[in-house]
Amino acid sequence: MFNRSRLTVARQRAGLTMKELASRAGIEPRTVTGYEAGEYLPSEDVARKLSRILGFPLAFFMSDDVDIPRAEGVSFRSMSKMTARQRDGAIAAGAIAFMLSDWLDNEFDLPVSDVPDMREDTPQSAAAGLRDFWGLGNRPIKNMVHLLELKGVRVFSLGEDGKEVDAFSVWRGQRPHVFLNSQKSAERSRFDAAHELGHLVLHKHAAPNGLEAEKQANEFAAAFLMPEAPLRAVGRVSGLPRVVELKRMAGVSVAAMTYRLHELGLASKWTYQQLFMELSRRGWRTDEPVPMRREQSQIWKKVLDDLRENGAGVERLSEILSVPESEIVKLLFGLVTVAVPSNPNASITPKRGSLRLVK
């Protein structure tokens, strides 16, 4: 039977309103509203037409309900920059990511969530407490994506055009999910990952939207990636070369390190202003000196390697989930190298494959 929730997901992924979809399909807008409300079903001919327009196979619309993230439960990195169309498209991408996440759970043994609820803590104490809980001490975090995956967080990319949708996170039951914009620098993407981790621990199952929540997540990210004790051991900083050295050690942007040093009183107000003037002059507010390599996913690399060993790949996964290959690639873009399978008819990985994540 034609599934209304899947029509909503496909329409939002195509970036169309109900009125626009109706116009392209040659039907009344009220008809599309009725389809998505479950009031009535499209004919076979109309269903095929909707499938062609939206770019999703007909089989996608004929399966069970899909779990769509609740808008009020999603923490977006920057709500002010997004249009409603972009927000709905990103949330619909989350629904497809949930399908991929369920497939992973069925096929592989992966870590359960080890992300604690720290709603009673301040951002700074939560950052220090989580480092202790995970046994990280004060040492630099080599790879945020690997760390999140090791602790049971599902990490996906946002393959959207433009940077308006910075990043977002959402809890689905006991499984946390983080979505990162793949068009940002590696350093800023790491900060986004820490920012979303802040939402996950500070605002678990609560409505995390609002300026105060964003401020808390930023404070958490700064304290988590740039712990206070090691920076205080360095002492006061006055020159840009030292700031660049520290930013490379912490894996953050030079602007973020400059702000953190001033926040901790390790750079005077005058020094802070002079440093930012120099950053602007050199173009380092957007481009990084000595940029990092983009972090990639351990889980998806191992999964795709496993698929390729069995002669399959993203194309075969697309067939199993009845989701366009392009949608899967967007969710993995920048997190892993995606290859086209050599044999689309090959069998999938045997159930309960064994994947091992390492620190």
Side-chain angles (χ1 to χ4, degrees):
M1 184 177 292
F2 194 89
N3 190 297
R4 59 175 182 164
S5 66
R6 288 174 175 258
L7 175 59
T8 300
V9 167
R11 176 180 60 78
Q12 291 178 338
R13 286 306 298 149
L16 298 177
T17 63
M18 293 186 194
K19 184 177 180 180
E20 290 167 342
L21 177 57
S23 175
R24 294 193 186 190
I27 55 181
E28 292 296 321
R30 177 66 183 85
T31 303
V32 174
T33 303
Y35 294 157
E36 294 197 17
E39 295 175 1
Y40 36 85
L41 301 173
S43 67
E44 184 176 343
D45 286 344
V46 172
R48 292 186 183 279
K49 183 179 291 186
L50 295 174
S51 171
R52 289 195 300 271
I53 292 170
L54 298 175
F56 278 70
L58 186 61
F60 174 80
F61 302 95
M62 302 300 178
S63 298
D64 296 335
D65 285 348
V66 337
D67 195 2
I68 303 174
R70 295 179 301 105
E72 63 272 18
V74 175
S75 87
F76 281 104
R77 182 79 167 83
S78 177
M79 284 289 291
S80 61
K81 298 179 183 178
M82 286 188 301
T83 64
R85 195 185 303 253
Q86 289 172 322
R87 180 202 62 211
D88 291 345
I91 289 175
I96 297 174
F98 287 170
M99 295 173 65
L100 278 170
S101 188
D102 288 343
W103 177 82
L104 278 177
D105 285 335
N106 287 331
E107 297 293 327
F108 300 100
D109 291 313
L110 293 169
V112 298
S113 172
D114 192 26
V115 179
D117 184 347
M118 308 181 80
R119 278 178 284 183
E120 301 303 317
D121 291 64
T122 66
Q124 292 79 9
S125 64
L130 187 60
R131 274 181 164 269
D132 288 342
F133 182 71
W134 284 349
L136 301 175
N138 282 322
R139 64 182 184 274
I141 296 172
K142 294 181 180 179
N143 191 306
M144 273 299 300
V145 172
H146 289 183
L147 177 62
L148 292 177
E149 290 180 331
L150 184 67
K151 301 306 178 181
V153 181
R154 292 285 155 79
V155 183
F156 295 93
S157 69
L158 286 167
E160 312 303 308
D161 294 330
K163 298 181 180 179
E164 291 81 7
V165 186
D166 277 344
F168 72 91
S169 57
V170 62
W171 279 91
R172 184 194 183 203
Q174 296 303 310
R175 176 72 72 182
H177 295 71
V178 165
F179 297 79
L180 302 175
N181 190 308
S182 54
Q183 298 187 28
K184 302 177 77 170
S185 71
E187 289 86 350
R188 284 169 170 77
S189 186
R190 274 172 56 89
F191 195 91
D192 280 352
H195 176 102
E196 297 308 326
L197 177 60
H199 277 304
L200 293 174
V201 300
L202 292 170
H203 310 125
K204 185 174 182 179
H205 300 314
N209 297 318
L211 294 177
E212 182 60 29
E214 292 303 308
K215 180 175 180 289
Q216 291 175 2
N218 270 337
E219 291 173 357
F220 173 92
F224 190 74
L225 291 174
M226 297 169 279
E228 181 174 350
L231 291 178
R232 290 208 178 277
V234 170
R236 293 182 67 84
V237 175
S238 59
L240 192 55
R242 187 63 167 145
V243 178
V244 172
E245 180 184 349
L246 291 173
K247 88 101 185 175
R248 291 182 63 186
M249 292 172 57
V252 297
S253 70
V254 67
M257 179 55 73
T258 301
Y259 185 86
R260 179 66 168 159
L261 291 169
H262 177 58
E263 179 184 51
L264 295 175
L266 299 175
S268 68
K269 183 177 180 180
W270 184 87
T271 298
Y272 173 73
Q273 292 172 342
Q274 292 301 307
L275 287 172
F276 262 98
M277 288 175 59
E278 184 64 12
L279 293 183
S280 297
R281 187 184 71 80
R282 298 189 183 206
W284 288 354
R285 297 290 297 273
T286 53
D287 297 323
E288 289 295 319
V290 197
M292 296 177 59
R293 292 183 61 183
R294 181 170 296 279
E295 296 179 348
Q296 293 199 322
S297 163
Q298 273 199 95
I299 284 182
W300 283 109
K301 181 182 184 304
K302 290 177 181 292
V303 166
L304 293 180
D305 285 347
D306 196 79
L307 287 172
R308 283 191 286 267
E309 287 178 5
N310 288 271
V314 172
E315 185 174 322
R316 178 63 178 141
L317 184 54
S318 166
E319 293 173 1
I320 290 172
L321 299 178
S322 297
V323 170
E325 186 176 351
S326 60
E327 291 293 330
I328 296 175
V329 170
K330 285 178 181 178
L331 288 167
L332 306 183
F333 183 75
L335 290 175
V336 70
T337 301
V338 180
V340 177
S342 58
N343 181 9
N345 298 318
S347 61
I348 200 74
T349 306
K351 189 174 177 62
R352 308 313 306 177
S354 177
L355 292 183
R356 178 171 174 267
L357 298 184
V358 296
K359 294 184 180 180

